[in-house]
Amino acid sequence: QQPVQSPQAVILREGEDAVINCSSSKALYSVHWYRQKHGEAPVFLMILLKGGEQKGHEKISASFNEKKQQSSLYLTASQLSYSGTYFCGTVYNNNDMRFGAGTRLTVKP
Amino acid sequence: DTGVSQNPRHKITKRGQNVTFRCDPISEHNRLYWYRQTLGQGPEFLTYFQNEAQLEKSRLLSDRFSAERPKGSFSTLEIQRTEQGDSAMYLCASSNDRGNSPLHFGNGTRLTVT
């Protein structure tokens, strides 16, 4: 039930854009996105419900393709503060949440 | 909102010993989750509660792991006869009773088994 994230790692320069993908083999109730900085707990970014596209945080937005059971996180004009590991969390049938292995994002000056 | 609190922050134990961790969720949250995270990996689901009821437990969890939430407030996670492979960060999170509610994580308990 664990979702699959890609890519595993991304290195950007400040101001560049990135896309992180999350896919599931099962029908999803919702998709959550979290960011975790080194040594800290994961912090909530946004939730995608079925068919929803939502802008929730700084210049970060996400989409949810219900047919493909996929979600993508879009980071535009990246800032140094965007560095961290991004996790998608998938919820099935309004129950527990499972996390992907994460995408490590590094933004360099 | 005082956030999710976990104790202790760090625990070092010898192989074979039992350990217990505590999690105090955000007071109005009725869902409570336990995850385990190792370096470079995402949080791995262990179990979750809705109020005092334990609704799901990971099949990966051996019988040495047990969790309780006796009054629907704080929760404890016990590991019996610890093994070196149990070394990890144990994260607790809480949320409201809706699938579109975000999880609020505590800072975790880092367990080291020597």
Side-chain angles (χ1 to χ4, degrees):
Chain A
Q1 291 185 355
Q2 183 180 10
V4 177
Q5 283 187 239
S6 63
Q8 289 185 326
V10 182
I11 299 175
L12 300 174
R13 294 284 180 191
E14 263 187 301
E16 292 182 340
D17 302 340
V19 179
I20 300 172
N21 299 304
C22 173
S23 63
S24 170
S25 58
K26 288 180 57 175
L28 295 170
Y29 179 85
S30 63
V31 177
H32 298 218
W33 286 95
Y34 294 79
R35 178 171 62 205
Q36 185 176 31
K37 293 186 179 282
H38 183 70
E40 300 179 7
V43 173
F44 168 75
L45 294 176
M46 67 186 72
I47 292 173
L48 279 300
L49 302 179
K50 288 182 179 181
E53 178 165 349
Q54 181 176 347
K55 289 187 179 182
H57 195 85
E58 299 168 342
K59 293 183 180 178
I60 301 172
S61 62
S63 64
F64 181 13
N65 185 322
E66 195 173 338
K67 273 190 178 180
K68 294 183 178 180
Q69 300 302 322
Q70 290 178 350
S71 178
S72 296
L73 186 72
Y74 306 96
L75 300 100
T76 57
S78 58
Q79 307 168 16
L80 295 177
S81 62
Y82 285 10
S83 291
T85 301
Y86 289 78
F87 296 101
C88 68
T90 49
V91 179
Y92 307 96
N93 300 319
N94 196 22
N95 291 326
D96 58 279
M97 186 178 305
R98 308 297 170 108
F99 288 92
T103 297
R104 180 176 296 176
L105 179 72
T106 304
V107 181
K108 295 186 174 181
Chain B
D1 182 354
T2 56
V4 178
S5 176
Q6 290 188 247
N7 288 288
R9 290 295 306 275
H10 303 275
K11 178 70 177 178
I12 300 174
T13 190
K14 291 187 177 181
R15 189 169 49 136
Q17 298 294 307
N18 299 343
V19 294
T20 300
F21 310 141
R22 177 178 170 124
C23 171
D24 288 89
I26 293 171
S27 57
E28 61 267 27
H29 286 177
N30 52 12
R31 286 194 177 184
L32 186 148
Y33 304 77
W34 284 101
Y35 291 89
R36 175 173 63 189
Q37 188 175 29
T38 52
L39 195 63
Q41 297 298 313
E44 176 190 14
F45 172 78
L46 295 179
T47 188
Y48 97 102
F49 293 84
Q50 181 153 323
N51 299 313
E52 65 275 8
Q54 187 174 17
L55 296 187
E56 190 160 348
K57 183 175 175 179
S58 170
R59 293 174 202 167
L60 300 175
L61 219 57
S62 75
D63 292 341
R64 296 184 298 107
F65 287 72
S66 62
E68 294 182 340
R69 194 182 182 197
K71 296 182 180 179
S73 57
F74 73 92
S75 174
T76 58
L77 178 68
E78 181 183 16
I79 309 174
Q80 296 181 327
R81 305 180 302 282
T82 53
E83 302 172 356
Q84 287 188 323
D86 297 332
S87 295
M89 176 71 81
Y90 290 83
L91 293 168
C92 174
S94 68
S95 76
N96 287 318
D97 182 19
R98 294 191 306 273
N100 58 350
S101 298
L103 266 59
H104 298 258
F105 283 87
N107 287 323
T109 294
R110 181 169 296 282
L111 173 66
T112 302
V113 183
T114 61

